[in-house]
Amino acid sequence: MGDIKNSEPVAERISRLDLDYKIGHCRLAEPGEVPTQEEAKAIIDRLYESGVPFFTKELIQGMWDQIKQDPVQGDKILTKDITGAVVECDVETGKVRQLRVDDMELEYVCKELVLSYQCRASLRRELEWKDYTFQHWEPCSVNIMHRTHEWDSKSEKTIPRRGPLGREVVTKTFQDKTQEWKESPACEKLKTILSSSAKYHEIDKVIGFALGTMSRECVNEDGTLDTRSAWRSASQHALLVTMTEWLQERDHKEKDLCYSQDPDYSEVDKKILDEAGIEVIEDPRGWLEVDENSIVVSIAPNVPVKEIITDIARPAVIIWCRVKFDDGLVRGLTDPDSSRVRAMMEGYELHELGPDEELFSDIALYIRKSVSAPAPSSDGRFS
């Protein structure tokens, strides 16, 4: 059966969106007394408000180093939860599971290991989703999950998914949206602001997070092709190119480091972005590259970019969805404006670029007020 071992079908009911990944099973290495649901929420909030980093480069690097060792089914990946307790995560590579989607019974197989990131709001919501009936509690901000693929038990092979759009189509979309963006007033305004307010900041790299794939073929219910997602992604990558070109012009360099991290990139995306001077990097390298000399670009991601960046660095320049000073625990929000994010933004100047719900959502430009970045304390906390 190839790499499919010890198949243990388990009936589940999930949505189509859950077919891409499966969160791994975890448990405390040394189980202790389980708090009540309210006590657990209070612990999460207390640690967060005290400044304890939920995300650290050390934690991310340590888990990634273990994944790179190619563990097999039955092995464990070690992490730590937000309380500092050691947690064991099961490797399920090759396990086949049964599930029900839209009243259809399907099978999927667990494949590649990747990292999963849970912000404070997600950790609190998880307590409610599970109805808190489990017998152990491990609030992990960084966990493992498997990419999953539909499985045909008769042929013992994975079922191929819809392939990416052709390179010619994606190239034209990217070129058209890049030209449209470069000719826009917002692009000119962006470069003017940067030249005025970031001219003395030391910057040596541009990093994009979760800017999406330009090559996914999305079909509407009526069977027509939905191009809005590809357009948004192409425009966001055009913005990344602009930031890099501005930096090259400012520093009189032929080339600057420009990275982009998104697990959804296809080979078509990678080739086109490489030709545009954007190096596609694998998660979690982007988090490890971010520092005080970085420009960070992230627009409406489905990963808590704001909270991760807030814990690990103080980039020179940031472009992301406007930080709103309201409740950061909004249900369903994947990249919330938590109290810690809002506190970080007090050290940044806000510059308006104008709302654009179609391509960029409501983004804003943030430039660090101090040319020299604040340094974290010995325990990794930023004051």
Side-chain angles (χ1 to χ4, degrees):
M1 193 180 284
D3 63 351
I4 308 303
K5 300 179 292 184
N6 300 326
S7 173
E8 297 179 10
V10 177
E12 300 178 63
R13 178 179 289 275
I14 65 173
S15 70
R16 283 279 180 186
L17 294 176
D18 295 317
L19 277 173
D20 290 335
Y21 297 99
K22 179 187 180 298
I23 299 293
H25 292 119
C26 295
R27 65 189 62 80
L28 290 170
E30 297 181 5
E33 184 177 350
V34 180
T36 66
Q37 186 183 71
E38 290 307 312
E39 288 173 341
K41 289 181 179 179
I43 291 171
I44 293 171
D45 291 342
R46 175 175 55 79
L47 291 174
Y48 194 79
E49 296 302 338
S50 72
V52 172
F54 281 22
F55 304 98
T56 67
K57 290 187 177 182
E58 179 182 13
L59 177 61
I60 294 171
Q61 181 73 68
M63 294 189 70
W64 184 236
D65 286 344
Q66 295 176 73
I67 289 176
K68 288 189 292 186
Q69 297 300 314
D70 295 325
V72 298
Q73 185 179 147
D75 288 343
K76 311 291 183 186
I77 297 290
L78 299 182
T79 184
K80 289 185 178 181
D81 67 21
I82 59 174
T83 71
V86 177
V87 175
E88 299 176 339
C89 303
D90 293 337
V91 176
E92 300 182 70
T93 307
K95 180 172 286 189
V96 175
R97 301 179 71 89
Q98 294 179 342
L99 54 96
R100 181 175 293 274
V101 180
D102 300 330
D103 295 325
M104 294 176 56
E105 290 190 0
L106 300 175
E107 287 185 315
Y108 71 85
V109 59
C110 296
K111 287 287 190 177
E112 305 86 0
L113 274 171
V114 293
L115 295 182
S116 169
Y117 307 94
Q118 304 294 322
C119 62
R120 178 183 64 159
S122 295
L123 291 174
R124 293 176 101 258
R125 280 201 306 271
E126 192 173 68
L127 296 172
E128 300 169 2
W129 287 344
K130 291 182 176 180
D131 295 326
Y132 213 67
T133 58
F134 46 91
Q135 298 179 353
H136 55 88
W137 181 55
E138 59 290 320
C140 293
S141 53
V142 185
N143 201 340
I144 63 168
M145 58 185 178
H146 288 272
R147 292 184 190 273
T148 58
H149 303 262
E150 287 191 58
W151 178 252
D152 182 358
S153 58
K154 293 181 179 180
S155 65
E156 297 185 347
K157 294 181 180 179
T158 57
I159 299 173
R161 298 182 181 179
R162 184 187 296 271
L165 294 170
R167 184 171 179 179
E168 297 79 8
V169 174
V170 181
T171 297
K172 187 177 188 308
T173 299
F174 181 54
Q175 291 175 342
D176 289 348
K177 288 302 174 181
T178 297
Q179 189 64 29
E180 180 181 325
W181 160 248
K182 287 185 175 182
E183 294 175 353
S184 69
C187 180
E188 192 60 36
K189 181 180 181 180
L190 170 63
K191 291 187 288 186
T192 299
I193 295 172
L194 289 170
S195 297
S196 173
S197 300
K199 58 183 176 181
Y200 297 123
H201 286 65
E202 184 175 345
I203 304 171
D204 58 20
K205 66 177 79 71
V206 181
I207 308 176
F209 290 98
L211 299 181
T213 171
M214 301 180 290
S215 62
R216 175 173 293 166
E217 185 176 10
C218 298
V219 180
N220 297 313
E221 292 184 0
D222 61 2
T224 59
L225 191 64
D226 186 347
T227 57
R228 289 173 297 178
S229 177
W231 287 354
R232 285 194 293 269
S233 178
S235 298
Q236 291 169 18
H237 286 96
L239 171 59
L240 199 66
V241 171
T242 294
M243 302 296 284
T244 307
E245 291 177 345
W246 168 80
L247 185 59
Q248 291 170 345
E249 183 176 345
R250 188 199 72 164
D251 296 344
H252 306 289
K253 292 183 179 179
E254 289 188 9
K255 187 175 182 179
D256 268 293
L257 297 175
C258 181
Y259 303 125
S260 193
Q261 174 179 298
D262 192 311
D264 282 345
Y265 284 138
S266 69
E267 290 303 315
V268 171
D269 291 314
K270 294 176 183 179
K271 291 176 182 177
I272 293 173
L273 293 177
D274 180 67
E275 292 171 356
I278 300 173
E279 180 182 349
V280 172
I281 56 177
E282 192 173 6
D283 178 30
R285 182 180 163 193
W287 312 121
L288 305 177
E289 291 283 353
V290 172
D291 57 21
E292 69 276 9
N293 300 326
S294 303
I295 292 176
V296 168
V297 179
S298 181
I299 301 171
N302 61 355
V303 63
V305 172
K306 288 176 179 175
E307 288 198 21
I308 297 174
I309 295 297
T310 298
D311 274 359
I312 64 178
R314 291 294 181 268
V317 178
I318 301 172
I319 292 182
W320 57 25
C321 292
R322 181 185 309 277
V323 174
K324 298 179 180 179
F325 287 72
D326 52 16
D327 184 8
L329 296 178
V330 178
R331 183 177 297 277
L333 199 58
T334 57
D335 191 28
D337 298 329
S338 66
S339 58
R340 196 179 292 182
V341 171
R342 297 195 294 265
M344 180 184 84
M345 300 321 294
E346 292 178 1
Y348 286 76
E349 292 180 348
L350 166 65
H351 297 271
E352 298 287 349
L353 292 178
D356 186 332
E357 297 295 335
E358 181 64 24
L359 297 178
F360 295 128
S361 299
D362 185 12
I363 65 170
L365 168 65
Y366 296 91
I367 299 178
R368 199 177 61 229
K369 294 177 181 177
S370 173
V371 173
S372 58
S377 59
S378 58
D379 62 359
R381 305 187 195 194
F382 285 93
S383 58

